[in-house]
Amino acid sequence: METANEESTRNSAHAISSGKNSLLGSSIKDGNVSGIKAAHDDIELMEKYVKMWRETSGMHTIMDELKEIKGKSTDVNDFTLTIANGIEEGTNRAAAAVSESALVSALLLSFSVPLLVSPPDAIAELDNTDWKKIFHLYGWGMMTASGTAVLVYARVYTTAVSRTVRSSDKLRIQLAGNAFNDTLMLVYAMFGCFIVGLTGDTVTYYGILQGIIISTISSLAIFLGAALGTRFITAGHIEYGWRRHRNSREDPVDDYLIFETLQKKMKYGKDLKEGARSIFVWDEDEKKTSSKDISGSGFDLFDSFKLE
């Protein structure tokens, strides 16, 4: 017996291919109320179909990526986080975290770049082989390089995310790598380079004893901030809070529900692929993609919206 979802898929595909009750139908032009209602229902059905297509299309093609993360706890937890919170929400969270790392990097670059290209007179007057000048050069130089890498990484990542349509594509981006950890490590590297550059400069101006003290205090302040923040990580982080501290073993219920939901989406995505027809066709003569007339009234999508 045909299920409700299968029937909805079949009806939606039929609506696409036949264009029945189209907004361009004569009943609407005549001001017929029933015709307007039929068009409204048709558009509503199409929107539901597009939403279902967006959430399920291509899901069955990511099986290879899922097999690769088997046994990798970090990747599995990232995958669980994305699926449990919703692929859209999970992707938005990742993009927001990457953008935040880029913002932090930009703030650090605002003083590392001037120190690198225009060093203070006391540093510039030192011999090029002096360790203090070398610390200044490599500290602020590596900090600038790391920060620039974060900015470029964030720009590429957010562009990739913003140009996706289907949930499967968003999920595939999440499975391709851990963007949050990548940018976080680069930001940590910036802090390390900050200490190196700070050491060279403070020793030059205040002497080796005072310079080492200031650099040590700055290092401890960075570690103190990280240590104080760990209580929030252990409270609810999916890996360091939930998995390790709250549960002695993995909760089988959450994994079952998450994977069962994904499997259903994979099945529906495959069914949609087999049951629906694309409105776009490749024109061999024109060597370009053109649209089919699905309304039955001579309406053409490309001609209407001036698309090539």
Side-chain angles (χ1 to χ4, degrees):
M1 179 177 289
E2 189 176 50
T3 65
N5 286 311
E6 290 171 342
E7 182 181 0
S8 175
T9 300
R10 178 177 56 79
N11 292 337
S12 299
H14 179 68
I16 289 180
S17 61
S18 64
K20 290 182 178 180
N21 297 325
S22 169
L23 182 61
L24 299 174
S26 59
S27 57
I28 296 181
K29 293 179 180 179
D30 297 337
N32 190 301
V33 176
S34 62
I36 295 176
K37 183 180 184 303
H40 175 271
D41 293 342
D42 180 46
I43 293 174
E44 191 175 55
L45 175 64
M46 296 294 290
E47 289 176 344
K48 290 180 179 179
Y49 175 83
V50 171
K51 182 177 184 294
M52 184 177 181
W53 169 83
R54 190 169 58 245
E55 293 181 355
T56 62
S57 176
M59 280 295 180
H60 60 289
T61 66
I62 64 172
M63 188 57 66
D64 292 338
E65 286 89 341
L66 294 180
K67 291 178 180 178
E68 291 179 2
I69 69 171
K70 186 177 181 181
K72 300 179 182 179
S73 60
T74 302
D75 290 334
V76 170
N77 285 316
D78 292 336
F79 171 77
T80 302
L81 188 68
T82 300
I83 297 297
N85 288 315
I87 296 175
E88 190 75 26
E89 174 67 17
T91 303
N92 289 340
R93 288 187 183 186
V98 171
S99 298
E100 184 178 344
S101 296
L103 177 61
V104 173
S105 298
L107 292 174
L108 295 175
L109 285 172
S110 65
F111 64 84
S112 70
V113 173
L115 285 172
L116 177 65
V117 299
S118 181
D121 293 338
I123 297 294
E125 292 171 357
L126 296 174
D127 187 80
N128 289 335
T129 60
D130 193 300
W131 70 270
K132 297 184 290 295
K133 191 170 186 178
I134 293 175
F135 268 44
H136 173 92
L137 173 64
Y138 284 97
W140 301 122
M142 293 299 293
M143 181 177 174
T144 300
S146 299
T148 304
V150 174
L151 295 181
V152 174
Y153 189 112
R155 181 65 271 175
V156 173
Y157 179 81
T158 53
T159 298
V161 169
S162 65
R163 303 302 292 177
T164 58
V165 176
R166 304 178 303 174
S167 294
S168 61
D169 298 322
K170 290 181 172 66
L171 182 57
R172 187 175 285 106
I173 288 177
Q174 298 304 311
L175 294 175
N178 194 319
F180 172 71
N181 283 350
D182 290 345
T183 53
L184 188 62
M185 291 301 103
L186 287 171
V187 171
Y188 284 159
M190 292 186 71
F191 284 119
C193 295
F194 165 77
I195 296 301
V196 174
L198 182 67
T199 300
D201 291 357
T202 53
V203 168
T204 300
Y205 279 95
Y206 306 108
I208 188 167
L209 177 61
Q210 302 300 328
I212 293 298
I213 291 176
I214 292 298
S215 298
T216 302
I217 293 175
S218 299
S219 301
L220 291 175
I222 294 175
F223 283 110
L224 178 62
L228 292 175
T230 56
R231 65 180 184 270
F232 304 112
I233 299 295
T234 57
H237 190 282
I238 187 171
E239 170 67 14
Y240 304 106
W242 177 27
R243 296 291 198 195
R244 296 187 182 183
H245 294 274
R246 304 303 175 188
N247 291 352
S248 58
R249 64 181 185 277
E250 290 188 0
D251 182 0
V253 176
D254 82 281
D255 291 333
Y256 170 78
L257 293 175
I258 288 170
F259 279 93
E260 183 69 16
T261 301
L262 182 61
Q263 286 178 351
K264 286 186 179 296
K265 288 186 176 182
M266 288 180 175
K267 178 183 181 300
Y268 294 150
K270 188 174 182 180
D271 292 343
L272 283 173
K273 182 177 181 297
E274 295 174 352
R277 301 177 183 176
S278 174
I279 66 171
F280 300 103
V281 294
W282 176 257
D283 190 326
E284 185 63 30
D285 295 331
E286 297 292 335
K287 299 298 182 183
K288 68 176 184 178
T289 302
S290 60
S291 61
K292 298 177 184 177
D293 175 18
I294 62 172
S295 66
S297 60
F299 173 76
D300 184 85
L301 184 68
F302 283 99
D303 289 341
S304 176
F305 292 97
K306 306 301 181 185
L307 296 177
E308 292 294 337

